[in-house]
């Protein structure tokens, strides 16, 4: 029979010769919202009765009431049901063991461990007097078992949470960067490590500068991420357009990329970069804006690298993405003739 929620279940151990007394008790227990377990009701035809009693019966109950009479003391089955090892197992499981004797004279015949228990006399003469206390003990044992079970479940839940928290702390301590940093820095690397262009118009040489015409273009592609990290590596505290342009032109000149144009063909104009990523860097929290006074109350906006930028650079270095130089790929044309090359 399936265990009912919020209702105690009690195993009634007895001799078949005391059937009338036990059936009366079972009926009264049901009226007190207690579910009795009787072998005559619970063991179905063809089922192994020992298994049904000791596994499906006693172990699924909240209390065991054993009614000891001369007949039950002579019953081998009752003897099995009050085995010392089984009683100890019941105590460990929080199952109440409630022995009663039909006559006080029978106490002398009980085992020493049973005699050590409070074992009251209960028979037809004092049935109604003892019944309320029996019901009370069953409900009390049931309540204590439910509470202890809930406490145990809560302790197990808290222990599980503590172990999970300890595991998380160990992961944090074992890693230089937090999981949120790892996720964000991977994203920043992806969006910033893209190619942009720095372009120079090539002007035809004329006696008067105003008569000069554009005859070609020199454009160089480079990694936005590499160029920004180059600024940080060289000790720049702010991100400024002129500093960025100067750094890129210095890199180009060091590799003779700007002097590769024959002098008789023309002259280069001012560098133009297709984007100015300050808003993007500010959005990602890599720079912050501040105002600096330049002259008699006049101010200008500056963009200072944040601690997050330096943390990001550390992450790149830590993962083997240290930026030591800027790589350029050229896509140039002079008088309509394309010229392509690369330089590291």
């Amino acid at each position: 029979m399936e265990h009912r929620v919020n209702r105690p279940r009690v195993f009634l151990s007895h001799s078949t010769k005391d059937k009338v007394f036990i059936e009366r008790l079972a009926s009264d227990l049901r009226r007190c919202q207690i579910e009795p377990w009787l072998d005559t009701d619970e063991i179905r035809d063809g089922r192994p009765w020992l298994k049904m009693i000791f596994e499906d019966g006693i172990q699924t109950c909240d209390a065991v009431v054993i009614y000891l009479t001369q007949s039950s003391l002579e019953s081998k089955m009752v003897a099995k049901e009050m085995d010392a090892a089984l009683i100890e197992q019941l105590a460990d499981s929080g199952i109440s063991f409630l022995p009663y004797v039909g006559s006080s004279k029978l106490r002398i015949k009980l085992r020493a461990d049973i005699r050590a228990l409070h074992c009251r006399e209960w028979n037809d003469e004092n049935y109604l007097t003892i019944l309320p206390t029996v019901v009370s003990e069953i409900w009390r044992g049931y309540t204590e078992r439910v509470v202890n079970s809930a406490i145990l479940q809560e302790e197990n839940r808290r222990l599980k949470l503590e172990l999970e928290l300890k595991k998380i702390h160990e992961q944090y301590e074992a890693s230089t960067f937090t999981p949120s940093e790892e996720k964000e820095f991977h994203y920043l690397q992806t969006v910033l490590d893209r190619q942009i262009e720095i372009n120079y118009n090539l002007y035809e040489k004329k006696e008067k500068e105003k008569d000069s015409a554009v005859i070609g273009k020199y454009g160089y592609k480079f990694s936005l991420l590499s160029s920004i990290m180059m600024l940080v590596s060289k000790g720049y505290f702010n991100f400024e357009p002129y500093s960025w342009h100067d750094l890129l032109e210095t890199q180009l000149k060091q590799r003779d990329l700007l002097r590769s144009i024959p002098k008789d063909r023309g002259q280069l104009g001012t560098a133009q970069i297709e984007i100015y990523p300050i808003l993007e860097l500010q959005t990602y929290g890599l720079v912050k804006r501040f105002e600096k006074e330049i002259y008699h109350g006049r101010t200008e906006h500056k963009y200072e690298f944040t601690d997050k930028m330096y943390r990001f650079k550390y992450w790149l270095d830590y993962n083997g993405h240290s930026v030591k130089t800027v790589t350029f790929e050229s896509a140039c044309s002079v008088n309509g003739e394309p010229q392509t090359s690369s330089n590291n």
Side-chain angles (χ1 to χ4, degrees):
M1 184 179 293
E2 186 178 349
H3 194 103
R4 298 182 182 180
V5 179
N6 296 331
R7 183 174 179 177
R9 196 178 193 193
V10 58
F11 183 90
L12 300 180
S13 176
H14 64 287
S15 167
T16 54
K17 295 181 180 180
D18 301 314
K19 180 178 179 181
V20 175
F21 182 91
I22 292 300
E23 287 183 346
R24 178 186 180 186
L25 172 60
S27 178
D28 289 335
L29 291 178
R30 291 189 184 96
R31 281 192 284 268
C32 296
Q33 298 302 307
I34 297 173
E35 181 183 342
W37 199 100
L38 284 170
D39 53 3
T40 54
D41 297 335
E42 302 292 342
I43 300 179
R44 295 166 54 189
D45 294 344
R47 297 298 179 92
W49 55 274
L50 281 176
K51 177 180 181 299
M52 292 294 294
I53 289 175
F54 291 100
E55 294 183 19
D56 300 336
I58 294 176
Q59 298 298 332
T60 63
C61 291
D62 302 292
V64 173
V65 170
I66 185 163
Y67 190 56
L68 300 168
T69 63
Q70 185 61 44
S71 299
S72 60
L73 289 177
E74 296 172 357
S75 169
K76 293 182 180 180
M77 180 54 64
V78 173
K80 289 179 179 291
E81 293 170 354
M82 64 175 188
D83 180 77
L86 178 60
I87 294 174
E88 184 177 353
Q89 183 180 354
L90 295 179
D92 293 339
S93 301
I95 300 174
S96 301
F97 180 74
L98 306 175
Y100 299 93
V101 292
S103 172
S104 58
K105 297 178 181 180
L106 295 174
R107 291 195 183 100
I108 194 65
K109 298 182 179 181
L110 301 178
R111 290 199 319 258
D113 59 321
I114 302 296
R115 288 202 306 269
L117 303 176
H118 184 38
C119 188
R120 290 192 294 167
E121 183 179 12
W122 192 19
N123 48 47
D124 292 331
E125 295 179 3
N126 66 346
Y127 178 83
L128 294 178
T129 303
I130 302 298
L131 179 63
T133 60
V134 175
V135 171
S136 176
E137 284 297 331
I138 294 173
W139 270 104
R140 179 183 299 177
Y142 168 75
T143 303
E144 291 175 351
R145 193 180 188 203
V146 170
V147 170
N148 291 335
S149 177
I151 292 174
L152 182 60
Q153 289 180 4
E154 178 63 18
E155 289 176 348
N156 290 337
R157 187 185 71 84
R158 292 179 63 180
L159 179 60
K160 182 178 179 181
L161 291 175
E162 288 174 0
L163 291 175
E164 291 178 354
L165 184 61
K166 182 180 179 181
K167 183 178 179 181
I168 292 173
H169 284 166
E170 290 175 350
Q171 290 176 346
Y172 276 9
E173 292 173 357
S175 176
T176 305
F177 304 93
T178 65
S180 60
E181 284 182 319
E182 290 283 354
K183 184 177 181 180
E184 183 176 18
F185 290 161
H186 272 295
Y187 172 75
L188 292 178
Q189 181 187 22
T190 301
V191 297
L192 293 177
D193 194 14
R194 65 181 189 271
Q195 295 291 308
I196 60 174
E197 286 189 15
I198 178 171
N199 294 311
Y200 295 85
N201 286 330
L202 181 64
Y203 292 91
E204 182 183 13
K205 284 189 174 182
K206 295 287 185 177
E207 293 183 1
K208 295 182 180 181
E209 186 176 347
K210 65 179 181 179
D211 296 332
S212 298
V214 176
I215 60 173
K217 181 180 76 169
Y218 271 70
Y220 294 94
K221 294 181 179 180
F222 61 94
S223 167
L224 173 60
L225 178 63
S226 297
S227 65
I228 294 171
M229 288 303 147
M230 184 64 69
L231 277 175
V232 178
S233 299
K234 290 186 175 296
Y236 288 85
F237 297 103
N238 300 332
F239 186 87
E240 301 294 344
Y242 60 84
S243 300
W244 192 34
H245 290 194
D246 289 347
L247 175 69
L248 293 171
E249 287 198 335
T250 299
Q251 294 284 313
L252 289 166
K253 289 176 181 178
Q254 287 177 349
R255 300 167 206 185
D256 291 334
L257 294 177
L258 297 182
R259 291 189 296 176
S260 61
I261 309 169
K263 294 182 180 180
D264 59 345
R265 302 191 68 175
Q267 59 186 13
L268 291 180
T270 304
Q272 296 178 343
I273 300 181
E274 65 179 37
I275 68 164
Y276 183 46
I278 191 63
L279 180 59
E280 187 176 9
L281 297 179
Q282 193 175 7
T283 300
Y284 298 143
L286 299 176
V287 298
K288 62 180 179 180
R289 190 176 76 170
F290 67 97
E291 292 187 353
K292 181 179 180 180
E293 185 175 355
I294 57 175
Y295 180 73
H296 294 301
R298 293 181 59 190
T299 60
E300 66 177 1
H301 295 309
K302 296 286 186 180
Y303 295 91
E304 182 181 32
F305 292 130
T306 62
D307 291 340
K308 185 176 179 179
M309 173 66 85
Y310 296 109
R311 185 76 172 161
F312 179 39
K313 182 183 182 305
Y314 177 31
W315 180 85
L316 289 170
D317 295 342
Y318 186 86
N319 288 281
H321 304 303
S322 180
V323 178
K324 297 181 179 179
T325 184
V326 179
T327 301
F328 294 93
E329 294 182 2
S330 61
C332 314
S333 63
V334 180
N335 290 328
E337 298 178 5
Q339 301 178 11
T340 60
S341 63
S342 64
N343 190 296
N344 295 327

